[in-house]
Amino acid sequence: MNAVGVFALMFIFGLYSADLPFSSAATIFSVLNYGAKADGKTDDSKAFSAAWKAACSATTQNPTVVVPSSRNFLVYPLIFNGPCKSSQISFQIIGTISSPSSPSVWSGHDISKWLTFNGVTGLLITGTGTIDSHGSGWWGQSCRDHPNLALSLISCKQSTISGIYFVNSAQEHLVIYLSNDILIKNMHITAPENSPNTDGIHIEASQNVLVNNSYIATGDDCVSIGDMTSNINISFVNCGPGHGVSVGSLGKNGNSVKVENIHVKRVNFKGSTNGARIKTWQVGLGYARKISFEHITLQSVQNPIYIDQNYCDIKGARGNCAQKSTGVHISEVTFNDIVGTSSTYVAINLNCSQSVACTGITMSSIQIKSDKSGQQVISKCTNAHGTNSGVVQPKSCLQS
């Protein structure tokens, strides 16, 4: 995205991201006024649904659903549908929203999602409250039996999520899907390091998304970028533990991928499995291009710089899958100003396809050392083509 595009987005988000104070023009819809018990045991879903419907149908400026402080609200799967009558609608979370804690309690409910905002324009989700998914009961079960995520925005536009604490989702904590012009800032997302598939933020089939100034420590990717996604900017994020910031995985079902203009900068990775990562399935088609990782710091990261173009379904075969004639073309990728320490011997690993090689890779101002005194680190490349500029340590293995 060029400078004009970035500033245009900042202007758009500025209209929607201000934490507006309640005013006489705003109408407040507290879930307590719609029958919520807020004891953490009684199902408050109907109260939340009623408060949302009232706010969404209000014609006043900035109608606001309020989840009050010092209260715990038990909520079952809900969809907050738009469009709403007001051009901007707020959902302020100051207390705690909790999901059912036992998998058995979900019987008869849709486990594919929990809290969903669908088709809303001008949505402002703010507050200092907590969304607690109580995911630990699911982590020992097969992932396909898990509720997929805690909070999702589907087909939303010009919306902001700010300041919320997410804890212990069964899988992804926050998903942005089929949405445009979304700002995510000042987030705090945590789950245990060994919790499976608990991505912090997953963005897919969406455009013009900014993730800024957030702390993410989970059992999977801090931020993951899915298929059909473009113009994504991720900055000032602390990531770790977790699996890093990942473009992918892409093309799992042999679909044609279109991913471009993904920019990650000023991210600190601490104790994560990966740092800057791009991963695509061998059976995928299409492209992932114009991707940059810049001004990155690393603290004991297992795979600081990692491209894996050979993802496959063979268990335990990562990096050793049989070659295929298909592949997602990875090109125009920049790794610039990346410094810090690796916890493994291979600090730069570019595992690209023999059939559809990586091209246009640029490396500059990279200084990665071992986190173990006296040990060295290396670069390892397969079918990766590009250029080096400035200091690259360990020595680059890119082919011209």
Side-chain angles (χ1 to χ4, degrees), residues 150-167:
L151 178 68
S152 58
L153 268 61
I154 300 176
S155 300
C156 292
K157 299 177 181 179
Q158 298 171 345
S159 298
T160 293
I161 306 175
S162 175
I164 308 300
Y165 283 67
F166 285 82
V167 295

Side-chain angles (χ1 to χ4, degrees), residues 124-142:
L124 179 60
I125 302 175
T126 64
T128 56
T130 299
I131 295 177
D132 188 346
S133 302
H134 295 287
S136 60
W138 299 91
W139 295 334
Q141 301 186 25
S142 171

Side-chain angles (χ1 to χ4, degrees), residues 108-341:
H109 295 274
D110 179 4
I111 66 168
S112 66
K113 55 184 68 73
W114 177 29
L115 304 173
T116 302
F117 290 87
N118 178 65
V120 184
T121 297
L123 174 65
L124 179 60
I125 302 175
T126 64
T128 56
T130 299
I131 295 177
D132 188 346
S133 302
H134 295 287
S136 60
W138 299 91
W139 295 334
Q141 301 186 25
S142 171
C143 290
R144 61 176 176 266
D145 298 327
H146 291 192
N148 286 340
L149 50 98
L151 178 68
S152 58
L153 268 61
I154 300 176
S155 300
C156 292
K157 299 177 181 179
Q158 298 171 345
S159 298
T160 293
I161 306 175
S162 175
I164 308 300
Y165 283 67
F166 285 82
V167 295
N168 297 336
S169 182
Q171 291 198 52
E172 293 100 334
H173 288 79
L174 173 60
V175 171
I176 308 299
Y177 183 65
L178 291 173
S179 296
N180 298 308
D181 301 327
I182 307 296
L183 172 62
I184 304 166
K185 65 175 183 176
N186 304 330
M187 305 298 289
H188 192 280
I189 303 174
T190 61
E193 184 176 3
N194 62 351
S195 57
N197 297 303
T198 52
D199 296 57
I201 301 170
H202 179 69
I203 305 166
E204 186 161 352
S206 297
Q207 291 74 43
N208 303 331
V209 180
L210 274 63
V211 179
N212 180 256
N213 193 37
S214 295
Y215 172 85
I216 306 173
T218 67
D220 210 301
D221 296 326
C222 292
V223 183
S224 58
I225 309 298
D227 292 349
M228 311 307 288
T229 302
S230 62
N231 298 338
I232 311 299
N233 286 268
I234 300 164
S235 61
F236 295 99
V237 171
N238 286 307
C239 170
H243 293 181
V245 173
S246 296
V247 178
S249 57
L250 305 174
K252 180 177 181 179
N253 298 312
N255 53 303
S256 183
V257 173
K258 294 182 180 179
V259 172
E260 61 185 333
N261 292 323
I262 313 297
H263 303 292
V264 181
K265 65 179 181 180
R266 303 197 184 282
V267 174
N268 177 51
F269 296 100
K270 183 176 181 180
S272 54
T273 304
N274 307 289
R277 178 167 69 157
I278 303 171
K279 52 178 181 174
T280 65
W281 290 80
Q282 288 182 313
V283 294
L285 305 170
Y287 58 81
R289 65 192 184 193
K290 298 179 182 178
I291 300 167
S292 65
F293 296 90
E294 300 185 279
H295 315 304
I296 304 295
T297 59
L298 310 160
Q299 300 178 57
S300 297
V301 175
Q302 290 183 34
N303 302 295
I305 297 175
Y306 190 22
I307 294 178
D308 186 1
Q309 209 177 359
N310 290 300
Y311 239 45
C312 65
D313 275 325
I314 303 173
K315 189 173 182 180
R318 297 282 169 82
N320 296 302
C321 305
Q323 291 291 334
K324 291 186 178 297
S325 60
T326 53
V328 177
H329 184 204
I330 298 173
S331 66
E332 299 176 74
V333 180
T334 298
F335 299 100
N336 174 53
D337 186 24
I338 300 177
V339 300
T341 58

Side-chain angles (χ1 to χ4, degrees), residues 11 21 30-31 39 41 57-58 70 75 87 104 110 138 150 157 177 180 196 283 329-330 339 354 365 370 375 383 400:
F11 175 75
S30 170
V31 294
D39 57 10
K41 299 177 182 179
S57 62
S70 304
V75 176
S87 62
S104 63
D110 179 4
W138 299 91
K157 299 177 181 179
Y177 183 65
N180 298 308
V283 294
H329 184 204
I330 298 173
V339 300
Q354 181 177 334
S365 302
S370 174
Q375 294 195 18
N383 304 313
S400 59

